[in-house]
Amino acid sequence: MGHGIAEVAALGGYDVTIRDIETELVEEGYDNIEWSVEKLAEKGQLDESAETVLDRIETTTDLAAAVSDADLVIEAVPEQLDIKEETFSTVDEHAPEHAILASNTSSLSISAIASATNRPEQVVGLHFFNPPVKMDLIEVTYGEATTDETAELASEWAESIDKTPIYVRKDVHGFVVNTVLVPFMEEPAWMLSNGETTVRAADATMVYERGYPMGPFELNDFGGIDIAYHFRDASDRPVPPVIAEKVENEALGKKSGMGFYDYETGDGVDYN
Ligand code: 3HC
């Protein structure tokens, strides 16, 4: 998600610094942005050259340097509270006083993340959807301490990059979209666990019968099965066994080449 978010910010005219823990990872992120921006340029969907957009993006592995001059910092590190807390604490120490600190979390509490900083009133959720360059919506989510001023600035920023923000004023687990979307992926996963459907049958039903752009298993692979896993694991309900099994085997979907589909052969991986 990090590179997709950086891309839409650069497309919106902002100077962006992307930071990851290793040079190789940050370069991989940049390459993804380059591919996507060049694709948009080829299709005549940019008002400027791909080069102009790409020139707005810098890369680094140094978090303190990355945020030292930022007005807005958007975090998209793994969905583990200890990693988020450590990241926010460092960002808080090095970002300018006026900077807004946002999290792209889809399953953790904004209040908990904000408490790792000395500016919880300036911490907000900016929850993007994958792929950010194609998905219009952004959830602007409040923590307990988030002020209206912070949420409004975050929302105005979302509009300035041509997205549609919606406020989620209570720090509820999963906000609005994932509260609706994760069960869409989980219910057929329970059926698959029980031998009651196949990957292809469930996906075909939703795509061909209901007109969804992706079926539930394809969508889970696309977003990362670990994301759905962490979402449910952080709640008081059980994780469907096939989802837990995929995560245990590091078959996390498209990003690892194997999930409910095998991305080398294109086949659905079934259990019955
Ligand atoms: N950048 C630039 N171009 C891109 C692109 C990208 N990131 N992704 C796809 N494209 C291009 C393709 O290469 C293709 O180009 P071509 O016509 O030259 O071959 C073109 O766009 C169309 O590609 P597709 O045929 O694959 O695109 P679709 O029309 O099927 O749309 C989609 C792709 C928008 C991803 C659509 O399948 C979709 O809406 N899927 C559902 C996505 C969704 O629901 N996301 C939300 C997930 S939940 C989430 O993120 C929250 C988290 O917290 C869990």
Side-chain angles (χ1 to χ4, degrees):
M1 290 299 286
H3 63 78
I5 295 169
E7 177 185 359
V8 291
L11 287 168
Y14 292 97
D15 290 327
V16 183
T17 302
I18 50 172
R19 180 266 175 185
D20 210 321
I21 50 174
E22 286 170 18
T23 306
E24 200 179 290
L25 293 173
V26 87
E27 278 173 2
E28 207 178 291
Y30 184 86
D31 289 348
N32 282 322
I33 299 174
E34 193 173 39
W35 173 85
S36 178
V37 170
E38 281 172 0
K39 184 114 196 162
L40 298 177
E42 262 168 43
K43 290 182 171 170
Q45 291 171 357
L46 290 186
D47 299 333
E48 51 194 353
S49 71
E51 205 185 0
T52 306
V53 176
L54 293 168
D55 278 350
R56 297 193 185 111
I57 301 173
E58 281 181 24
T59 59
T60 183
T61 53
D62 183 341
L63 182 54
V67 303
S68 65
D69 193 26
D71 300 312
L72 172 65
V73 180
I74 305 177
E75 161 278 316
V77 304
E79 290 283 80
Q80 289 171 34
L81 189 56
D82 55 340
I83 305 180
K84 302 268 189 206
E85 284 172 340
E86 197 188 323
T87 306
F88 270 80
S89 165
T90 307
V91 169
D92 185 39
E93 199 181 318
H94 296 280
E97 254 175 49
H98 71 273
I100 288 180
L101 312 187
S103 174
N104 179 53
T105 185
S106 58
S107 58
L108 295 171
S109 151
I110 298 297
S111 310
I113 293 170
S115 64
T117 74
N118 292 313
R119 60 177 104 185
E121 66 289 346
Q122 282 165 243
V123 177
V124 67
L126 274 175
H127 183 214
F128 290 75
F129 298 90
N130 197 17
V133 75
K134 295 253 169 180
M135 306 302 282
D136 185 45
L137 186 72
I138 298 179
E139 286 179 315
V140 178
T141 58
Y142 278 67
E144 274 162 28
T146 311
T147 59
D148 285 338
E149 189 191 354
T150 297
E152 277 159 24
L153 280 168
S155 174
E156 280 164 20
W157 177 81
E159 279 172 352
S160 77
I161 60 163
D162 250 357
K163 299 289 179 195
T164 303
I166 55 153
Y167 288 119
V168 182
R169 292 183 194 275
K170 285 200 172 163
D171 197 1
V172 289
H173 177 64
F175 315 128
V176 176
V177 173
N178 279 335
T179 301
V180 177
L181 200 59
V182 175
F184 167 74
M185 296 188 285
E186 281 183 339
E187 289 306 322
W190 282 108
M191 293 182 75
L192 183 66
S193 302
N194 296 333
E196 293 163 355
T197 188
T198 63
V199 168
R200 281 194 179 280
D203 278 359
T205 309
M206 299 315 287
V207 173
Y208 297 111
E209 174 60 26
R210 304 301 310 155
Y212 283 50
M214 288 180 177
F217 291 109
E218 187 187 3
L219 185 61
N220 211 342
D221 273 3
F222 182 69
I225 300 171
D226 51 326
I227 302 294
Y229 174 86
H230 286 304
F231 172 86
R232 183 54 67 212
D233 200 39
S235 78
D236 54 4
R237 284 170 49 193
V239 178
V242 289
I243 291 184
E245 195 180 305
K246 291 288 177 199
V247 172
E248 211 175 288
N249 296 333
E250 293 183 20
L252 304 180
K254 210 168 175 187
K255 64 184 168 191
S256 55
M258 175 68 84
F260 290 107
Y261 290 87
D262 175 340
Y263 288 87
E264 294 214 339
T265 64
D267 289 337
V269 181
D270 280 323
Y271 288 77
N272 48 347

